[in-house]
Amino acid sequence: MLSKKTKYAFHALSYLAENQHKGAILIQEIASSKKISQKFLESILLDLKKAGILGSKKGKGGGYYLLKQPEEITLARVIRLLNGPIAWLPCVSLNFYEKCSDCVSEATCNMHLIMCQVRDQTLSVVENKTVRDLISSN
Amino acid sequence: MLSKKTKYAFHALSYLAENQHKGAILIQEIASSKKISQKFLESILLDLKKAGILGSKKGKGGGYYLLKQPEEITLARVIRLLNGPIAWLPCVSLNFYEKCSDCVSEATCNMHLIMCQVRDQTLSVVENKTVRDLISSN
DNA sequence: TATTACTCTACTAAGTATATAGACTTTGTG
DNA sequence: CACAAAGTCTATATACTTAGTAGAGTAATA
């Protein structure tokens, strides 16, 4: 299941994409529009900023804005950032790989093979969908 | 990520499948063979029993045994039982459906549509793989 | 220089995962 | 019948994660 953090991130990114023309957008505006706790949203937007997806401007007239075009931000990127690994096992994760403790050989482990298939099927969707696909207009 | 409970369940089911000819198997034997805490494994086997996948016999000469053939037990079944929903959102879950609070219409929600695709891609693997596919011999 | 708005650190509460302990019940066998 | 073996059930503990709150700090603009 996706965490609220991840869902909020998608909501915020959609809002920013839909209002790209308005320049910097207040956290407050996103929070009230999408009904998200402002303080909680702050930390999410900060994560997205540190990842290079968003930019920000302090002071009066400040706020957050997209650094990338909506079609450049894949859902996989956002999910990995805020939700963690997409794979079901650490030993099949592309971005969060960890050797699995029990199995002797990944090459001959049936579980490993099947979980690779699950991962690839999932990625075939979320690597090819972007924030552009989330917004209703066009 | 799959929980340890789920992974232990797969290990236990594999062991039971590989030793089907031996009749009832002691929890203790599975636990030591697969290096799982015996007490923890007890609750897992109990869940599998309540779901009708395993049978048990008490007293001397007792133990657990498969009620279904390995090829009849899909991975999806086990994952839903011990890990919970396979879908990434409650509103796209087939077995744990819950209406989503924020979105107005599931029919027009882009997120909903994409998450259905993820679910279906995942299910295409785990609904068609069984405990038989986990065991090495044949 | 005052206000605005993002940034950072710390904290709390609730829930879930991963066990552990021990009493209880059922069953086979001598 | 009594005993031991083995599954069943309930309660508890501990650590980790999630979700959210509070408040001080910093930078930019008018």
Side-chain angles (χ1 to χ4, degrees), chain A residues 27 42 46 49 56 58-59 63-64:
Chain A
I27 296 179
E42 277 180 25
L46 214 47
K49 185 193 172 182
S56 69
K58 287 187 175 181
Y64 278 95

mmCIF file of all heavy atoms in Angstrom, chain A residues 27 42 46 49 56 58-59 63-64, chain C residues 2-10:
data_model
loop_
_atom_site.group_PDB
_atom_site.id
_atom_site.type_symbol
_atom_site.label_atom_id
_atom_site.label_comp_id
_atom_site.label_asym_id
_atom_site.label_seq_id
_atom_site.Cartn_x
_atom_site.Cartn_y
_atom_site.Cartn_z
ATOM 1 N N ILE A 27 2.911 26.756 0.052
ATOM 2 C CA ILE A 27 2.596 25.475 0.677
ATOM 3 C C ILE A 27 1.150 25.503 1.149
ATOM 4 O O ILE A 27 0.381 24.569 0.931
ATOM 5 C CB ILE A 27 3.488 25.230 1.913
ATOM 6 C CG1 ILE A 27 4.953 25.107 1.513
ATOM 7 C CG2 ILE A 27 3.055 23.967 2.635
ATOM 8 C CD1 ILE A 27 5.866 24.892 2.695
ATOM 9 N N GLU A 42 4.895 20.173 4.294
ATOM 10 C CA GLU A 42 6.200 20.849 4.245
ATOM 11 C C GLU A 42 7.339 19.851 4.049
ATOM 12 O O GLU A 42 8.210 20.044 3.202
ATOM 13 C CB GLU A 42 6.453 21.614 5.550
ATOM 14 C CG GLU A 42 5.821 22.987 5.603
ATOM 15 C CD GLU A 42 6.108 23.703 6.914
ATOM 16 O OE1 GLU A 42 7.147 23.375 7.548
ATOM 17 O OE2 GLU A 42 5.323 24.572 7.302
ATOM 18 N N LEU A 46 9.821 19.311 0.841
ATOM 19 C CA LEU A 46 11.259 19.421 1.053
ATOM 20 C C LEU A 46 11.987 18.212 0.467
ATOM 21 O O LEU A 46 13.042 18.346 -0.161
ATOM 22 C CB LEU A 46 11.526 19.537 2.558
ATOM 23 C CG LEU A 46 12.709 20.402 3.008
ATOM 24 C CD1 LEU A 46 12.717 21.739 2.291
ATOM 25 C CD2 LEU A 46 12.643 20.616 4.513
ATOM 26 N N LYS A 49 12.113 18.597 -3.131
ATOM 27 C CA LYS A 49 13.094 19.611 -3.502
ATOM 28 C C LYS A 49 14.503 19.030 -3.478
ATOM 29 O O LYS A 49 15.279 19.209 -4.411
ATOM 30 C CB LYS A 49 13.017 20.801 -2.545
ATOM 31 C CG LYS A 49 13.939 21.928 -2.961
ATOM 32 C CD LYS A 49 14.128 22.969 -1.892
ATOM 33 C CE LYS A 49 15.224 23.943 -2.347
ATOM 34 N NZ LYS A 49 15.498 24.975 -1.331
ATOM 35 N N SER A 56 12.324 26.110 -4.847
ATOM 36 C CA SER A 56 11.568 26.945 -3.918
ATOM 37 C C SER A 56 12.157 28.342 -3.854
ATOM 38 O O SER A 56 13.317 28.567 -4.224
ATOM 39 C CB SER A 56 11.584 26.325 -2.528
ATOM 40 O OG SER A 56 12.874 26.397 -1.973
ATOM 41 N N LYS A 58 12.178 31.640 -1.057
ATOM 42 C CA LYS A 58 11.782 32.103 0.272
ATOM 43 C C LYS A 58 11.238 33.514 0.221
ATOM 44 O O LYS A 58 11.316 34.191 -0.804
ATOM 45 C CB LYS A 58 12.992 32.061 1.205
ATOM 46 C CG LYS A 58 13.414 30.673 1.637
ATOM 47 C CD LYS A 58 14.496 30.773 2.693
ATOM 48 C CE LYS A 58 14.861 29.406 3.244
ATOM 49 N NZ LYS A 58 15.888 29.496 4.297
ATOM 50 N N GLY A 59 10.743 33.935 1.345
ATOM 51 C CA GLY A 59 10.297 35.320 1.486
ATOM 52 C C GLY A 59 8.994 35.626 0.775
ATOM 53 O O GLY A 59 8.349 34.755 0.194
ATOM 54 N N GLY A 63 7.505 30.420 -2.548
ATOM 55 C CA GLY A 63 6.680 29.222 -2.692
ATOM 56 C C GLY A 63 7.440 28.135 -3.429
ATOM 57 O O GLY A 63 8.658 28.217 -3.582
ATOM 58 N N TYR A 64 6.723 27.116 -3.846
ATOM 59 C CA TYR A 64 7.337 25.998 -4.567
ATOM 60 C C TYR A 64 6.910 25.990 -6.028
ATOM 61 O O TYR A 64 5.817 26.453 -6.368
ATOM 62 C CB TYR A 64 6.927 24.671 -3.919
ATOM 63 C CG TYR A 64 7.742 24.306 -2.695
ATOM 64 C CD1 TYR A 64 7.290 24.623 -1.424
ATOM 65 C CD2 TYR A 64 8.961 23.649 -2.826
ATOM 66 C CE1 TYR A 64 8.041 24.285 -0.299
ATOM 67 C CE2 TYR A 64 9.710 23.309 -1.718
ATOM 68 C CZ TYR A 64 9.246 23.621 -0.460
ATOM 69 O OH TYR A 64 9.985 23.291 0.642
ATOM 70 P P DA C 2 11.762 46.900 12.572
ATOM 71 O OP1 DA C 2 11.709 48.332 12.956
ATOM 72 O OP2 DA C 2 12.354 45.915 13.500
ATOM 73 O "O5'" DA C 2 10.292 46.429 12.188
ATOM 74 C "C5'" DA C 2 9.604 47.144 11.154
ATOM 75 C "C4'" DA C 2 8.859 46.180 10.244
ATOM 76 O "O4'" DA C 2 9.729 45.674 9.202
ATOM 77 C "C3'" DA C 2 8.276 44.951 10.950
ATOM 78 O "O3'" DA C 2 6.977 44.744 10.449
ATOM 79 C "C2'" DA C 2 9.220 43.823 10.545
ATOM 80 C "C1'" DA C 2 9.621 44.258 9.149
ATOM 81 N N9 DA C 2 10.921 43.758 8.696
ATOM 82 C C8 DA C 2 12.064 43.617 9.443
ATOM 83 N N7 DA C 2 13.080 43.141 8.765
ATOM 84 C C5 DA C 2 12.578 42.960 7.485
ATOM 85 C C6 DA C 2 13.152 42.496 6.290
ATOM 86 N N6 DA C 2 14.420 42.116 6.197
ATOM 87 N N1 DA C 2 12.362 42.447 5.200
ATOM 88 C C2 DA C 2 11.094 42.828 5.291
ATOM 89 N N3 DA C 2 10.437 43.284 6.363
ATOM 90 C C4 DA C 2 11.240 43.339 7.428
ATOM 91 P P DT C 3 5.959 43.763 11.184
ATOM 92 O OP1 DT C 3 4.814 44.581 11.636
ATOM 93 O OP2 DT C 3 6.694 42.927 12.147
ATOM 94 O "O5'" DT C 3 5.475 42.862 9.972
ATOM 95 C "C5'" DT C 3 5.333 43.461 8.680
ATOM 96 C "C4'" DT C 3 5.520 42.417 7.612
ATOM 97 O "O4'" DT C 3 6.926 42.135 7.415
ATOM 98 C "C3'" DT C 3 4.854 41.069 7.913
ATOM 99 O "O3'" DT C 3 4.047 40.723 6.805
ATOM 100 C "C2'" DT C 3 6.035 40.108 8.077
ATOM 101 C "C1'" DT C 3 7.079 40.759 7.173
ATOM 102 N N1 DT C 3 8.481 40.405 7.453
ATOM 103 C C2 DT C 3 9.304 40.054 6.393
ATOM 104 O O2 DT C 3 8.924 40.019 5.238
ATOM 105 N N3 DT C 3 10.601 39.776 6.734
ATOM 106 C C4 DT C 3 11.140 39.775 8.019
ATOM 107 O O4 DT C 3 12.317 39.494 8.203
ATOM 108 C C5 DT C 3 10.229 40.139 9.069
ATOM 109 C C7 DT C 3 10.714 40.176 10.476
ATOM 110 C C6 DT C 3 8.951 40.433 8.751
ATOM 111 P P DT C 4 2.924 39.641 6.899
ATOM 112 O OP1 DT C 4 1.664 40.258 6.470
ATOM 113 O OP2 DT C 4 3.047 38.959 8.201
ATOM 114 O "O5'" DT C 4 3.382 38.621 5.769
ATOM 115 C "C5'" DT C 4 3.970 39.120 4.563
ATOM 116 C "C4'" DT C 4 4.868 38.068 3.957
ATOM 117 O "O4'" DT C 4 6.140 38.057 4.627
ATOM 118 C "C3'" DT C 4 4.324 36.640 4.050
ATOM 119 O "O3'" DT C 4 4.289 36.112 2.744
ATOM 120 C "C2'" DT C 4 5.332 35.912 4.934
ATOM 121 C "C1'" DT C 4 6.594 36.733 4.697
ATOM 122 N N1 DT C 4 7.619 36.679 5.773
ATOM 123 C C2 DT C 4 8.934 36.454 5.412
ATOM 124 O O2 DT C 4 9.292 36.303 4.261
ATOM 125 N N3 DT C 4 9.822 36.437 6.465
ATOM 126 C C4 DT C 4 9.528 36.602 7.807
ATOM 127 O O4 DT C 4 10.418 36.575 8.648
ATOM 128 C C5 DT C 4 8.141 36.825 8.113
ATOM 129 C C7 DT C 4 7.717 37.020 9.525
ATOM 130 C C6 DT C 4 7.247 36.846 7.088
ATOM 131 P P DA C 5 3.348 34.890 2.347
ATOM 132 O OP1 DA C 5 2.844 35.119 0.979
ATOM 133 O OP2 DA C 5 2.417 34.653 3.455
ATOM 134 O "O5'" DA C 5 4.382 33.698 2.300
ATOM 135 C "C5'" DA C 5 5.488 33.781 1.406
ATOM 136 C "C4'" DA C 5 6.519 32.749 1.779
ATOM 137 O "O4'" DA C 5 7.250 33.190 2.946
ATOM 138 C "C3'" DA C 5 5.941 31.374 2.154
ATOM 139 O "O3'" DA C 5 6.649 30.392 1.454
ATOM 140 C "C2'" DA C 5 6.195 31.273 3.636
ATOM 141 C "C1'" DA C 5 7.487 32.071 3.751
ATOM 142 N N9 DA C 5 7.773 32.506 5.113
ATOM 143 C C8 DA C 5 6.889 32.916 6.078
ATOM 144 N N7 DA C 5 7.449 33.222 7.216
ATOM 145 C C5 DA C 5 8.792 33.011 6.995
ATOM 146 C C6 DA C 5 9.924 33.158 7.811
ATOM 147 N N6 DA C 5 9.859 33.568 9.085
ATOM 148 N N1 DA C 5 11.134 32.868 7.278
ATOM 149 C C2 DA C 5 11.193 32.451 6.013
ATOM 150 N N3 DA C 5 10.199 32.274 5.141
ATOM 151 C C4 DA C 5 9.016 32.581 5.703
ATOM 152 P P DC C 6 6.197 28.847 1.325
ATOM 153 O OP1 DC C 6 5.656 28.624 -0.014
ATOM 154 O OP2 DC C 6 5.398 28.519 2.522
ATOM 155 O "O5'" DC C 6 7.605 28.098 1.431
ATOM 156 C "C5'" DC C 6 8.617 28.393 0.483
ATOM 157 C "C4'" DC C 6 9.983 28.312 1.138
ATOM 158 O "O4'" DC C 6 9.972 29.043 2.377
ATOM 159 C "C3'" DC C 6 10.411 26.881 1.495
ATOM 160 O "O3'" DC C 6 11.792 26.733 1.153
ATOM 161 C "C2'" DC C 6 10.213 26.825 3.001
ATOM 162 C "C1'" DC C 6 10.554 28.256 3.393
ATOM 163 N N1 DC C 6 9.996 28.645 4.709
ATOM 164 C C2 DC C 6 10.867 28.932 5.781
ATOM 165 O O2 DC C 6 12.076 28.844 5.601
ATOM 166 N N3 DC C 6 10.345 29.284 6.984
ATOM 167 C C4 DC C 6 9.019 29.367 7.136
ATOM 168 N N4 DC C 6 8.550 29.725 8.330
ATOM 169 C C5 DC C 6 8.128 29.080 6.056
ATOM 170 C C6 DC C 6 8.650 28.720 4.876
ATOM 171 P P DT C 7 12.553 25.313 1.408
ATOM 172 O OP1 DT C 7 13.712 25.254 0.505
ATOM 173 O OP2 DT C 7 11.519 24.256 1.369
ATOM 174 O "O5'" DT C 7 13.100 25.415 2.895
ATOM 175 C "C5'" DT C 7 14.281 26.178 3.140
ATOM 176 C "C4'" DT C 7 14.877 25.781 4.488
ATOM 177 O "O4'" DT C 7 14.016 26.237 5.564
ATOM 178 C "C3'" DT C 7 15.076 24.285 4.700
ATOM 179 O "O3'" DT C 7 16.407 24.110 5.132
ATOM 180 C "C2'" DT C 7 14.058 23.923 5.778
ATOM 181 C "C1'" DT C 7 13.938 25.229 6.544
ATOM 182 N N1 DT C 7 12.651 25.474 7.251
ATOM 183 C C2 DT C 7 12.698 25.827 8.582
ATOM 184 O O2 DT C 7 13.737 25.923 9.210
ATOM 185 N N3 DT C 7 11.475 26.070 9.153
ATOM 186 C C4 DT C 7 10.236 25.992 8.534
ATOM 187 O O4 DT C 7 9.218 26.238 9.153
ATOM 188 C C5 DT C 7 10.258 25.609 7.153
ATOM 189 C C7 DT C 7 8.969 25.498 6.393
ATOM 190 C C6 DT C 7 11.459 25.369 6.569
ATOM 191 P P DC C 8 17.096 22.655 5.115
ATOM 192 O OP1 DC C 8 18.488 22.805 4.674
ATOM 193 O OP2 DC C 8 16.186 21.711 4.423
ATOM 194 O "O5'" DC C 8 17.125 22.293 6.669
ATOM 195 C "C5'" DC C 8 17.665 23.248 7.589
ATOM 196 C "C4'" DC C 8 17.207 22.925 8.997
ATOM 197 O "O4'" DC C 8 15.836 23.298 9.169
ATOM 198 C "C3'" DC C 8 17.287 21.437 9.351
ATOM 199 O "O3'" DC C 8 18.334 21.275 10.300
ATOM 200 C "C2'" DC C 8 15.912 21.105 9.936
ATOM 201 C "C1'" DC C 8 15.301 22.480 10.191
ATOM 202 N N1 DC C 8 13.822 22.551 10.076
ATOM 203 C C2 DC C 8 13.065 23.012 11.152
ATOM 204 O O2 DC C 8 13.645 23.332 12.194
ATOM 205 N N3 DC C 8 11.718 23.080 11.036
ATOM 206 C C4 DC C 8 11.127 22.728 9.897
ATOM 207 N N4 DC C 8 9.796 22.826 9.818
ATOM 208 C C5 DC C 8 11.878 22.257 8.776
ATOM 209 C C6 DC C 8 13.208 22.188 8.899
ATOM 210 P P DT C 9 18.797 19.770 10.734
ATOM 211 O OP1 DT C 9 20.269 19.794 10.851
ATOM 212 O OP2 DT C 9 18.112 18.768 9.899
ATOM 213 O "O5'" DT C 9 18.197 19.665 12.205
ATOM 214 C "C5'" DT C 9 18.231 20.802 13.060
ATOM 215 C "C4'" DT C 9 17.378 20.537 14.281
ATOM 216 O "O4'" DT C 9 15.999 20.877 13.999
ATOM 217 C "C3'" DT C 9 17.388 19.080 14.743
ATOM 218 O "O3'" DT C 9 17.779 19.042 16.105
ATOM 219 C "C2'" DT C 9 15.950 18.603 14.547
ATOM 220 C "C1'" DT C 9 15.163 19.909 14.573
ATOM 221 N N1 DT C 9 13.908 19.899 13.772
ATOM 222 C C2 DT C 9 12.746 20.396 14.332
ATOM 223 O O2 DT C 9 12.693 20.836 15.460
ATOM 224 N N3 DT C 9 11.647 20.346 13.511
ATOM 225 C C4 DT C 9 11.588 19.867 12.219
ATOM 226 O O4 DT C 9 10.538 19.890 11.587
ATOM 227 C C5 DT C 9 12.842 19.365 11.693
ATOM 228 C C7 DT C 9 12.884 18.826 10.297
ATOM 229 C C6 DT C 9 13.923 19.408 12.485
ATOM 230 P P DA C 10 17.915 17.621 16.884
ATOM 231 O OP1 DA C 10 19.096 17.721 17.771
ATOM 232 O OP2 DA C 10 17.815 16.522 15.903
ATOM 233 O "O5'" DA C 10 16.601 17.606 17.787
ATOM 234 C "C5'" DA C 10 16.099 18.837 18.320
ATOM 235 C "C4'" DA C 10 14.707 18.605 18.891
ATOM 236 O "O4'" DA C 10 13.732 18.726 17.835
ATOM 237 C "C3'" DA C 10 14.525 17.223 19.514
ATOM 238 O "O3'" DA C 10 14.061 17.371 20.845
ATOM 239 C "C2'" DA C 10 13.489 16.548 18.621
ATOM 240 C "C1'" DA C 10 12.751 17.733 18.020
ATOM 241 N N9 DA C 10 12.144 17.463 16.716
ATOM 242 C C8 DA C 10 12.743 16.920 15.620
ATOM 243 N N7 DA C 10 11.948 16.777 14.585
ATOM 244 C C5 DA C 10 10.726 17.267 15.040
ATOM 245 C C6 DA C 10 9.477 17.400 14.433
ATOM 246 N N6 DA C 10 9.228 17.035 13.173
ATOM 247 N N1 DA C 10 8.470 17.925 15.170
ATOM 248 C C2 DA C 10 8.716 18.290 16.423
ATOM 249 N N3 DA C 10 9.858 18.222 17.109
ATOM 250 C C4 DA C 10 10.839 17.696 16.356
#
